[in-house]
């Protein structure tokens, strides 16, 4: 069974969606370890509740490369095949990205390449777009810039606030992320330049 390592910094609702999908046998693998750079992240408790090793590793006072090397070591020790970023609020250095080539994914709460970076739902709302959504993408050395594995649109309503929009996007994230992870773990994705070709799609 392939192993997934999940990196978090907070709430961990996407982590929970991955754990739940794995439990139902719908992920194509299991969550082998959860690592947080924030000790109080509620996601760590979710992992413990699910009986998954939950590791807190503080990034403060460390060089980015040194912290990333520690993460790599933890993930390797748990024989992780795929790394999922799920609300992990740290930029990863080339040290990390090169340790898992083509095997790191992230979920972003907007339709990339629109609105990369922080508070994407608020950015989209403030821009006045009529459609936003969620994106699962491979992680490269840029910010939210890697090849796109899966996307789903969410209509922006006139009555929306950034918060109501974020809540509807989050529901989509919770079904999109496990599906995309499954495609990757099942070996159904092939990268051609910027394009991810999904078998049968
Ligand atoms: C999600 O909106 C995700 O798209 C973004 O950070 C948020 C994490 O939420 N990258 P959670 O910790 O998974 O609940």
């Amino acid at each position: 069974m392939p192993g997934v390592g999940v990196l978090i910094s907070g709430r961990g609702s996407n982590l929970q969606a991955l754990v739940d999908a794995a439990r139902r046998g719908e992920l194509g693998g299991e969550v082998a370890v959860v690592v947080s750079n924030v000790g109080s992240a509620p996601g760590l408790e979710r992992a413990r509740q699910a009986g998954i090793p939950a590791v807190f590793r503080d990034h403060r006072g460390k060089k980015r490369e040194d912290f990333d090397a520690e993460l790599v070591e933890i993930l390797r020790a748990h024989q992780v095949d795929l790394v999922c970023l799920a609300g992990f609020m740290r930029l990863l250095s080339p040290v990390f990205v090169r340790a898992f080539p083509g095997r790191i994914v992230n979920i972003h709460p907007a339709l990339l390449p629109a609105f990369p970076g922080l508070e994407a739902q608020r950015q989209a709302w403030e821009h006045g777009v009529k459609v936003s959504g969620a994106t699962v993408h491979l992680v490269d050395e840029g910010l939210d810039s890697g090849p796109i594995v899966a996307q789903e649109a969410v209509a922006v309503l006139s009555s929306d606030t950034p918060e109501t929009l974020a809540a509807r996007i989050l529901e989509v994230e919770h079904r999109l992320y496990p599906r995309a992870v499954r495609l990757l773990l099942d070996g159904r994705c092939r990268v051609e330049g910027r394009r991810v070709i999904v078998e049968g799609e």
Side-chain angles (χ1 to χ4, degrees):
M1 182 73 84
V4 174
V6 185
L7 302 187
I8 61 164
S9 299
R11 180 175 60 183
S13 69
N14 279 287
L15 160 68
Q16 190 71 58
L18 295 171
V19 168
D20 292 346
R23 274 211 190 123
R24 294 192 301 266
E26 291 171 7
L27 195 67
E30 62 193 1
V31 180
V33 63
V34 174
V35 188
S36 174
N37 68 314
V38 176
S40 59
L44 281 174
E45 187 49 35
R46 291 180 193 262
R48 289 187 201 106
Q49 289 288 331
I52 296 165
V55 182
F56 160 53
R57 196 47 64 97
D58 203 346
H59 63 274
R60 288 174 294 185
K62 290 174 190 161
K63 274 175 52 191
R64 191 179 296 279
E65 288 73 17
D66 294 342
F67 175 67
D68 285 4
E70 289 181 25
L71 294 180
V72 170
E73 197 180 307
I74 297 165
L75 294 164
R76 288 217 171 116
H78 287 85
Q79 296 175 318
V80 156
D81 300 291
L82 183 75
V83 180
C84 293
L85 310 183
F88 184 63
M89 303 302 283
R90 302 273 309 158
L91 281 177
L92 292 166
S93 67
V95 167
F96 191 92
V97 176
R98 289 174 196 167
F100 297 97
R103 306 301 290 166
I104 311 170
V105 271
N106 181 42
I107 179 124
H108 184 75
L111 292 178
L112 290 171
F115 312 118
L118 294 175
E119 293 201 69
Q121 307 96 324
R122 176 174 290 278
Q123 289 186 53
W125 181 84
E126 282 177 354
H127 194 89
V129 294
K130 300 298 185 194
V131 178
S132 191
T135 303
V136 178
H137 64 94
L138 295 173
V139 173
D140 61 13
E141 290 172 23
L143 174 66
D144 299 327
S145 58
I148 292 168
V149 179
Q151 288 187 305
E152 190 174 324
V154 172
V156 182
L157 309 176
S158 300
S159 56
D160 265 329
T161 62
E163 291 74 27
T164 59
L165 175 61
R168 283 207 313 290
I169 292 174
L170 193 63
E171 281 178 32
V172 167
E173 293 182 42
H174 294 164
R175 62 170 180 266
L176 191 69
Y177 210 3
R179 274 189 207 156
V181 167
R182 172 154 217 166
L183 291 176
L184 290 158
L185 291 178
D186 285 353
R188 291 180 52 202
C189 298
R190 184 176 89 245
V191 183
E192 281 182 11
R194 276 217 52 90
R195 303 174 65 230
V196 176
I197 311 298
V198 181
E199 196 189 286
E201 258 186 17

